[in-house]
Amino acid sequence: MTSAITPFAHQAPLAVGAQSRRQTRAVPVTWNDKQVVIGGGAPVVVQSMTNTDTAHAIETAIQVKELALAGSEMVRITVNSPEAAREVPAIREQLDRMGMNVPLVGDFHFNGHKLLTDYPECAQALSKYRINPGNMGGGKRRDDNFARMIEVACRYEKPVRIGVNWGSLDHDLMARMMDDNNRQSQPWEAQAVMRDALVISAISNARRAEELGLSPNAIVLSCKVSHVQDLITVYRDLSQRCDYPLHLGLTEAGMGSKGIVASTAALSVLLQQGIGDTIRISLTPEPGGDRTREVIVAQEILQTMGLRAFAPMVVACPGCGRTSSTVFQELADDIQRFLREQMPIWRQQYPGVESMNVAVMGCVVNGPGESRHADIGISLPGTGEVPSAPVYLDGERVVTLKGDTIAKEFQGIVLDYVQRRYGNKQAQQ
């Protein structure tokens, strides 16, 4: 005898999409006529960082341009030496000549106070500073160095990210908190004390920056660690204890799939809870690998979660025993690459195209259905199936492709569809 399945009356339907965004202050980051807003309800901002020697101005400017064209809305560069500081204005000028208004963020550590004061042209050319209080020495020397950097930020009206890192936490603060914890009747585990120290360090340094004259609307915080669960715990706590916008990212996330999976696991949990105003995916590139990969991963995290749209997404089946041919895999890869390559132009010419969905399927099991649900889709023949590939536009079958030129013909159909559908939107605006 089988019993009827009765739904639980007290269960509410699952919510779709992320929870309400955490309310934060808005921090504008500008250069020329370009303004990127972090927090204040603005879309989550994608950042990246160069790995060139900043003292090599042309090489650095070229990589900044590549990252910006890939969709990085701010690009951070290392400023670690007098040689690097001297070249920052030249990098900015080169980018301006190329029409790249992407804001530059200067990454400062041990000697940032000296570089910013000794090279005022560098301080002016940057749109934002990233400083790490844990790398500024100890005691009064640390306080003085921090104050000098904040004073420069105030002078040139530059926002600052105060970035606290697991590996460079304030030793004096950590020692005090460990001592206090050991005196408790029920002390925390050392790991929990370290997480709390990160949060306290970030907030206390932000408050100190305000005391020194920096606007609270010019402060972004980050507490970056290397492990997923620690990052989630730290940012949940930080988000409950301040209203500064937060920069998310695992530090030293790793290489390849490990770095992508770890970053996605950590950031998706926080973003789903409405935490996070700007993100960076700190991937270690493969030898000779493309630095823009970290930008694409950041965009795909936000887009697959439904938080933003950056480029048309391709749905493709994984393949199975029904699909001995690799044609659909090659076509899916070619189309995805084609779409991304077109986006720097399409973004201007065809507003809304970034939300387009494309399906490239490998057999008749799910192929026609998935293709009908996409804006444009193709269902390629699997093993033993009739060698024809129906194409669907807006749910309607419009043509069937055959022969050796399916890939080229389908790409032409995609281009024509974009021009007709999204070109009309531009004309209407």
Side-chain angles (χ1 to χ4, degrees):
M1 178 177 177
T2 59
S3 59
I5 299 175
T6 304
F8 292 104
H10 64 274
Q11 288 185 333
L14 294 175
V16 177
Q19 296 177 13
S20 298
R21 290 279 300 283
R22 164 180 169 268
Q23 296 300 306
T24 68
R25 297 176 179 275
V27 176
V29 183
T30 62
W31 185 258
N32 291 334
D33 59 350
K34 177 71 173 287
Q35 182 179 80
V36 179
V37 178
I38 302 174
V44 179
V45 174
V46 172
Q47 295 191 41
S48 61
M49 185 174 183
T50 59
N51 61 356
T52 56
D53 183 347
T54 307
H56 299 157
I58 297 299
E59 182 183 357
T60 300
I62 290 171
Q63 190 174 88
V64 171
K65 180 180 179 180
E66 292 171 351
L67 292 165
L69 289 175
S72 183
E73 293 159 302
M74 286 188 283
V75 178
R76 185 155 43 111
I77 60 176
T78 298
V79 188
N80 61 336
S81 67
E83 293 77 16
R86 277 196 293 267
E87 292 302 322
V88 169
I91 294 167
R92 182 70 269 173
E93 290 171 9
Q94 180 66 30
L95 290 168
D96 290 345
R97 284 196 294 270
M98 294 188 292
M100 304 304 299
N101 276 352
V102 60
L104 287 179
V105 180
D107 190 70
F108 297 95
H109 285 277
F110 308 97
N111 57 353
H113 57 287
K114 185 170 178 58
L115 295 176
L116 280 173
T117 52
D118 289 353
Y119 298 92
E121 296 86 359
C122 168
Q124 289 178 305
L126 294 167
S127 296
K128 180 167 167 276
Y129 309 150
R130 189 275 193 186
I131 64 178
N132 184 348
N135 283 335
M136 294 184 181
K140 186 177 186 304
R141 182 162 65 93
R142 172 198 170 281
D143 293 341
D144 290 345
N145 292 343
F146 181 77
R148 286 174 65 183
M149 294 193 74
I150 297 302
E151 287 164 4
V152 173
C154 292
R155 185 181 313 141
Y156 297 111
E157 298 182 331
K158 305 292 185 179
V160 172
R161 170 160 70 95
I162 297 175
V164 182
N165 274 47
W166 193 266
S168 55
L169 190 56
D170 185 338
H171 296 296
D172 294 336
L173 173 65
M174 193 66 220
R176 289 196 306 272
M177 291 185 63
M178 282 294 187
D179 289 343
D180 291 343
N181 182 63
N182 290 335
R183 288 191 287 267
Q184 301 300 316
S185 58
Q186 294 182 320
W188 292 357
E189 293 182 358
Q191 193 87 342
V193 178
M194 291 182 70
R195 290 194 295 261
D196 197 42
L198 282 167
V199 174
I200 290 174
S201 177
I203 295 175
S204 62
N205 279 289
R207 301 261 167 81
R208 175 61 178 149
E210 288 191 50
E211 291 171 2
L212 292 165
L214 190 63
S215 167
N217 291 92
I219 299 173
V220 178
L221 295 187
S222 67
C223 290
K224 298 178 80 172
V225 299
S226 301
H227 301 295
V228 171
Q229 295 298 342
D230 287 323
L231 190 85
I232 293 170
T233 301
V234 165
Y235 273 90
R236 280 176 174 167
D237 190 11
L238 183 60
S239 71
Q240 293 171 358
R241 295 163 70 173
C242 71
D243 64 354
Y244 301 109
L246 303 181
H247 172 86
L248 302 187
L250 278 176
T251 188
E252 300 104 24
M255 180 179 286
S257 61
K258 185 271 177 184
I260 294 172
V261 170
S263 295
T264 303
L267 270 59
S268 296
V269 170
L270 292 168
L271 291 166
Q272 184 70 12
Q273 295 173 359
I275 299 169
D277 303 283
T278 176
I279 66 173
R280 187 226 167 171
I281 309 300
S282 301
L283 294 181
T284 304
E286 305 284 348
D290 189 348
R291 189 67 171 181
T292 62
R293 183 63 179 152
E294 68 176 50
V295 179
I296 294 171
V297 172
Q299 291 178 330
E300 289 178 346
I301 290 172
L302 294 174
Q303 186 152 350
T304 55
M305 292 186 69
L307 298 177
R308 291 191 65 182
F310 297 93
M313 298 290 284
V314 175
V315 175
C317 63
C320 64
R322 298 179 61 90
T323 55
S324 59
S325 170
T326 61
V327 173
F328 83 94
Q329 297 165 328
E330 294 163 356
L331 179 58
D333 185 57
D334 289 345
I335 288 295
Q336 184 73 77
R337 188 182 304 110
F338 170 73
L339 295 173
R340 281 207 166 270
E341 288 172 351
Q342 300 306 309
M343 279 310 295
I345 300 172
W346 284 1
R347 199 174 288 119
Q348 305 299 323
Q349 292 184 348
Y350 304 118
V353 69
E354 63 275 4
S355 299
M356 183 176 72
N357 293 308
V358 180
V360 179
M361 306 304 292
C363 76
V364 298
V365 173
N366 291 318
E370 289 285 356
S371 296
R372 286 192 185 95
H373 285 119
D375 295 306
I376 178 170
I378 185 170
S379 179
L380 293 156
T383 304
E385 294 176 6
V386 177
S388 61
V391 175
Y392 298 83
L393 302 182
D394 299 322
E396 299 293 332
R397 181 170 175 169
V398 294
V399 68
T400 298
L401 304 180
K402 298 179 181 180
D404 298 329
T405 60
I406 287 177
K408 184 176 180 180
E409 290 182 61
F410 183 65
Q411 184 170 304
I413 292 171
V414 171
L415 182 58
D416 180 67
Y417 179 83
V418 168
Q419 292 171 339
R420 286 189 294 103
R421 177 173 176 178
Y422 298 98
N424 291 338
K425 285 187 177 181
Q426 185 184 43
Q428 291 169 6
Q429 292 177 348

